[in-house]
Amino acid sequence: MNRARTVAELRTALAGVPRPVALVPTMGALHDGHLALIRRARELGATVVVSIFVNPTQFAAGEDLAAYPRDPESDGRLAAEAGADLLFAPSAEEVYPGGFDTAIDVRGVAAELEGDPHRRGPEHFRGVATVVAKLFNMVGPDIAVFGQKDAQQALVIRQLVRDLDFPVRIEVHPTVRDADGLALSSRNRYLNAAERERALALSRALRTAEELVAGGETEAERLLEAAGAELDRAGIVPEYLELRSAADLVPVERLAGETLLCLAARVGPARLIDNVVLRPATEPALHTRPLTGAAT
Ligand code: AMP
């Protein structure tokens, strides 16, 4: 696996490589969720680039930028094992040299949920959209792989790519979870054993709603009530727990198409997010079901 720290090194390393080029942008501290994305990129691309950059502009003042886990040695080994051809790990000065003065504002989907001024705020997705646009211009990928774990981020990136005509196909990979259901996240490293146990209520809450939907429930109020009760039992007060259209984040009162049940909650020192895509059960209406025992 090659490594590049500057845009010049990156361009040299990428000159003449076989296409398609598949990019997996990350902030490092790689875990199995990231590695699943890299393996997917390996399936889709002839050349796989993994970027590692803890992007300061997507952290609000008072967030965990300084504490964010960094593990460059393990990251290099894991990325290579998962099939990366090139690891791009630029410095903050390389990405934002003196005089840098541009930002990309995706509106609409970026203004909801995480982008709400009472939550992470508009700076968050401004930082994400700007750095992803820069990474796309630096790497010039044909494909970029993102995780459903950050469902809203994936929607913001799709909007960015559509609106600014980036010739990049966006692939979204399902959320990778630990065996007990906890969605993998670099921020899980902040949790001690008791907090990790409590954090399991997040995926339990999502699963509870999923099971209700499988049983035919479609009312947002009942789904949110049941999911909220799971959080409540663990003493977790969510920052948000909402049902939104998976296409455009419009609030949903009754499940119709693909619907995102998404939540954010603080558990100990960590702010965690998780989500699940709900689809209404496709049971045929009662009168069209074959009668039990009837010949077919
Ligand atoms: P991050 O390093 O947290 O910025 O994440 C980099 C990429 O990995 C993003 O596209 C995330 O959505 C994705 N990702 C993070 N955690 C998971 C997970 N548990 N499952 C799938 N993708 C993930």
Side-chain angles (χ1 to χ4, degrees):
M1 184 182 69
N2 273 333
R3 290 165 190 264
R5 292 196 58 85
T6 65
V7 178
E9 286 171 9
L10 175 74
R11 295 226 160 105
T12 304
L14 285 175
V17 294
R19 302 200 85 92
V21 170
L23 169 67
V24 182
T26 81
M27 298 206 300
L30 299 184
H31 51 64
D32 281 343
H34 298 116
L35 301 184
L37 268 54
I38 299 172
R39 286 190 210 101
R40 181 69 185 132
R42 183 72 278 166
E43 289 170 4
L44 297 171
T47 300
V48 174
V49 181
V50 173
S51 65
I52 294 185
F53 181 59
V54 182
N55 177 36
T57 66
Q58 71 190 68
F59 289 77
E63 276 190 329
D64 56 341
L65 173 61
Y68 197 83
R70 290 160 171 89
D71 204 342
E73 264 175 42
S74 146
D75 285 350
R77 187 172 41 80
L78 292 173
E81 281 170 14
D85 297 304
L86 175 61
L87 190 73
F88 177 48
S91 65
E93 295 70 37
E94 182 71 12
V95 178
Y96 302 113
F100 180 88
D101 204 14
T102 296
I104 295 184
D105 254 318
V106 173
R107 294 188 287 257
V109 288
E112 305 290 320
L113 302 170
E114 296 289 292
D116 183 302
H118 301 293
R119 294 164 189 158
R120 297 195 79 177
E123 297 81 13
H124 174 62
F125 286 122
R126 187 177 299 142
V128 169
T130 305
V131 83
V132 169
K134 282 182 66 85
L135 286 168
F136 284 180
N137 283 333
M138 290 166 175
V139 175
D142 303 291
I143 302 158
V145 187
F146 292 85
Q148 178 65 22
K149 162 75 167 44
D150 298 276
Q152 186 179 8
Q153 171 174 278
L155 288 175
V156 170
I157 303 298
R158 284 195 192 284
Q159 184 81 45
L160 168 79
V161 162
R162 233 181 0 252
D163 290 352
L164 298 187
D165 305 295
F166 282 102
V168 183
R169 169 181 148 198
I170 302 301
E171 174 85 4
V172 179
H173 190 282
T175 301
V176 178
R177 298 176 181 280
D178 263 337
D180 56 14
L182 186 69
L184 298 185
S185 163
S186 305
R187 291 190 168 94
N188 291 350
R189 295 191 189 196
Y190 298 152
L191 302 171
N192 65 27
E195 289 158 352
R196 195 189 176 290
E197 189 61 33
R198 235 158 45 85
L200 292 178
L202 272 63
S203 52
R204 257 200 321 270
L206 300 177
R207 210 169 46 237
T208 300
E210 209 171 33
E211 284 163 8
L212 284 176
V213 170
E217 185 58 76
T218 56
E219 291 298 325
E221 207 177 311
R222 297 219 190 86
L223 296 170
L224 294 174
E225 206 174 82
E230 279 298 333
L231 297 177
D232 198 44
R233 265 193 282 284
I236 294 172
V237 181
E239 247 181 56
Y240 60 80
L241 171 65
E242 296 199 25
L243 275 163
R244 301 283 187 122
S245 151
D248 53 15
L249 299 185
V250 169
V252 165
E253 288 187 2
R254 176 176 295 191
L255 235 62
E258 289 201 337
T259 303
L260 210 56
L261 175 57
C262 42
L263 66 84
R266 220 161 247 295
V267 180
R271 182 181 184 278
L272 303 176
I273 59 171
D274 201 352
N275 70 83
V276 69
V277 181
L278 301 174
R279 296 172 188 86
T282 49
E283 278 207 345
L286 210 57
H287 64 274
T288 63
R289 261 191 233 152
L291 295 173
T292 311
T296 50

